Structures are given as C-alpha cells and as structure tokens.
Amino acid sequence: MIPYATVEEASIALGRDLTWLETLWFDYSATKSDYYLYCHNILFLFLIFSLVPLPLVFIELSRSTSHWFDRYKIQPKVKNSSSDMFCCYKDVMKMFLLVVGPLQLVSYPSIQMIEIRSGLPLPSLMEIVAQLVVYFLVEDYTNYWVHRFFHCKWGYEKIHHIHHEYTAPIGYAAPYAHWAEVLLLGIPTFLGPAIAPGHMITFWLWIALRQIEAIETHSGYDFPWTLTKYIPFYGGAEYHDYHHYVGGQSQSNFASVFTYCDYIYGTDKGYRFQKKLLQQIKESSKKSNKQIIRGEKFD
C-alpha cells in the first residue's frame, strides 16, 4: 500500500511532481492492500485464458466453409469442432478454479518474501523491459529442464501425458495439463521475479505475457505477420507444434520460449532433420512441376 495520503505528499517524498501514470496509479492503488493488488492476477489469467484464444477459435471454425486459413495451419488435416474446443476450455477453467486461482490466493507470502513492491516511483520503461527479458530467459532455461523431466518414463506416464492429448495443439490447450504439472511449472515462472524483483505492474505484465506467449505457441497456426518472428531465437508455434506432433516419443523441442537450450543440448536434431527433409521434398516437387510445364510447352 502506498504510504502517502495525498498526491502532494507523494510529490514531496519523491522530490518531484508525479507523472500522469504515477498519478493514475496513486488514484487506483493508494487505498488498496498489496494482497488485493496481487490477486488481480486471478482476473488477468481468467481473461487471458478466456479471450486470447477466441480469434483462433473463429479461424478454426471458418475452415469448415473456407480453406483460406489452411495455408497457415501447421497440421492442416486436423480440424477441431466447436464442441472439441469448448470441452478443452471447460477443462482449463476447472483447473483454473481448483488449482490456479487458489494457488494465487495462498502464494502471496512468497511475493512479500522476494519484496515485489507496489509503491512509488513507478519503474521506467527500460527497467520493465530489462526485467521482463531476465524473467523470460530464466523461465525458459528452468522450464526446459522441468519439461525434460516430464518426458522421462515416469513423468510422462504419471503427469505429462495429459498435456499431450492434443497432438495438434490449440490455443485453449496451452494451460491444459495435470494439476501437478501446473504447480511444478509455476516454479520457473516465479524464479525470474525472485532473482530480479520489481514492481507489481512488471509482475502483472510478466504473468500476462508469459501466458499469451504460451497460447501463441499452442495456436496450431504459423502466421507470417506474427511480431514474435522478429525476436531472436524465438521458437513459436511451428517449433512447439513439432513437439506435440511427435507426442510421447518426443525428445525434441523442450524449450518453452526460445530455441537456444535445445540447440546447445542437442534436443532439436529431430526437428531440424524433419524440416530439412520437408524442404528437400518441396524443392523436388517444384523441379518436377517445372519439368512438366516445360514438357507441355514443347508438346
């Protein structure tokens, strides 16, 4: 909670006038407890899980009348009905109500322990970006090893096989998993803020962006206009889709966000081999088509 009664008191304490964003933050948060602010994550996660995959639902349903989006579908032979997607959403919401929501409610002491602050001044844009980069890198590296554990015989059979029920993933399937997996994967998500604690706003952004990224990589579509294609070493939907396509036998593409861990530890060889093979088949097909066209011209 902000320890100032008025904007004027806050300005005197900071030795300067508040920016308009700081004034907005003061007006909203001054009378609210840190616990109340932290629990905003429950609302954010609910909205993200519910609304962010919706455009993908409409795209998927449009494929029954038009094949225009088939060119971007990574596994075009797979089609999901509205009932399939709603069933997935229903299971995710059940997990949200029984596991994710309660976990958010009881995990506030950990936020106090690492000293996530909610007061003034607000962090600068550069501070927010720098901390988010750290969070993504830390989460990606630790998630890689947790994910590899889930693909050992015991981890897959007891826990991770539920997430792999979708061999052609959809947006709503990003958080679709065993409750134990949801809890364990919370550790990599928490480690970044624990190492480089920041402001509550940065923490909100981190939780929101991480879930949006997960939905994108489980979208089942490889859109050429996706802005994340400009992020160095970013995996994306096509990269993670291969992991689901191979399924329980997959020992490839474990990373959650970037590709460097799989490259360093040699767990992207199957993916790179398949990609090279598909490229060769594509080039061979183009050559064959050209030869046929030339033959028709001479005839």
Side-chain angles (χ1 to χ4, degrees):
M1 185 180 291
I2 294 177
Y4 312 116
T6 64
V7 170
E8 288 72 24
E9 277 188 34
S11 296
I12 293 170
L14 293 179
R16 60 171 174 79
D17 290 337
L18 271 62
T19 65
W20 71 272
L21 280 174
E22 288 173 330
T23 303
L24 189 67
W25 177 252
F26 181 92
D27 291 340
Y28 180 74
S29 67
T31 58
K32 295 177 176 65
S33 69
D34 289 349
Y35 178 69
Y36 182 84
L37 293 172
Y38 172 67
C39 287
H40 281 46
N41 274 324
I42 298 174
L43 175 61
F44 296 151
L45 288 172
F46 172 75
L47 292 174
I48 289 167
F49 289 162
S50 300
L51 300 179
V52 173
L54 265 183
L56 298 167
V57 170
F58 295 133
I59 288 171
E60 188 70 17
L61 294 177
S62 73
R63 293 177 63 222
S64 61
T65 55
S66 170
H67 297 293
W68 193 83
F69 282 107
D70 284 1
R71 72 191 77 179
Y72 305 123
K73 181 74 173 176
I74 300 168
Q75 297 185 49
K77 292 181 180 179
V78 178
K79 291 188 178 182
N80 296 285
S81 66
S82 57
S83 60
D84 292 335
M85 291 182 281
F86 179 72
C87 184
C88 181
Y89 173 71
K90 187 172 64 175
D91 289 338
V92 166
M93 282 299 104
K94 189 187 300 181
M95 180 66 66
F96 178 80
L97 292 171
L98 297 177
V99 179
V100 178
L103 179 64
Q104 291 291 315
L105 290 172
V106 302
S107 60
Y108 177 66
S110 63
I111 297 300
Q112 289 180 303
M113 181 181 67
I114 64 174
E115 299 182 348
I116 296 289
R117 64 185 185 88
S118 63
L120 295 172
L122 292 183
S124 66
L125 179 61
M126 285 304 297
E127 182 182 341
I128 291 173
V129 170
Q131 287 179 322
L132 287 175
V133 169
V134 170
Y135 297 172
F136 270 106
L137 289 173
V138 170
E139 193 277 344
D140 185 70
Y141 186 80
T142 50
N143 184 292
Y144 172 86
W145 291 105
V146 175
H147 196 178
R148 283 192 71 168
F149 161 73
F150 282 141
H151 275 266
C152 72
K153 182 177 174 59
W154 184 91
Y156 190 86
E157 290 181 355
K158 300 296 183 182
I159 300 174
H160 195 51
H161 72 277
I162 292 176
H163 185 64
H164 274 272
E165 287 176 11
Y166 288 89
T167 54
I170 57 175
Y172 280 127
Y176 178 81
H178 190 282
W179 63 267
E181 180 170 347
V182 173
L183 292 178
L184 283 172
L185 289 179
I187 297 171
T189 304
F190 180 75
L191 275 179
I195 293 170
H199 197 273
M200 187 68 74
I201 290 176
T202 308
F203 189 75
W204 286 350
L205 278 171
W206 160 236
I207 297 299
L209 290 173
R210 178 63 186 92
Q211 299 309 316
I212 291 169
E213 184 277 331
I215 290 168
E216 184 206 340
T217 56
H218 287 83
S219 67
Y221 289 88
D222 186 26
F223 298 117
W225 56 78
T226 305
L227 294 177
T228 48
K229 286 184 176 290
Y230 298 98
I231 300 174
F233 308 109
Y234 184 77
E238 186 212 11
Y239 189 80
H240 192 68
D241 198 277
Y242 174 82
H243 178 81
H244 277 263
Y245 175 74
V246 177
Q249 302 302 316
S250 179
Q251 292 299 320
S252 184
N253 296 21
F254 292 112
S256 60
V257 182
F258 304 106
T259 60
Y260 69 93
C261 277
D262 284 304
Y263 181 78
I264 291 171
Y265 298 112
T267 49
D268 64 346
K269 292 177 181 177
Y271 167 74
R272 285 191 284 135
F273 175 79
Q274 190 210 41
K275 198 167 184 178
K276 183 179 179 181
L277 188 63
L278 289 174
Q279 185 63 31
Q280 289 173 348
I281 292 170
K282 191 175 179 181
E283 289 174 359
S284 177
S285 178
K286 281 183 181 179
K287 287 179 182 178
S288 298
N289 289 335
K290 285 180 181 179
Q291 289 173 352
I292 291 170
I293 292 169
R294 286 173 184 170
E296 288 175 350
K297 283 182 179 179
F298 284 119
D299 288 345

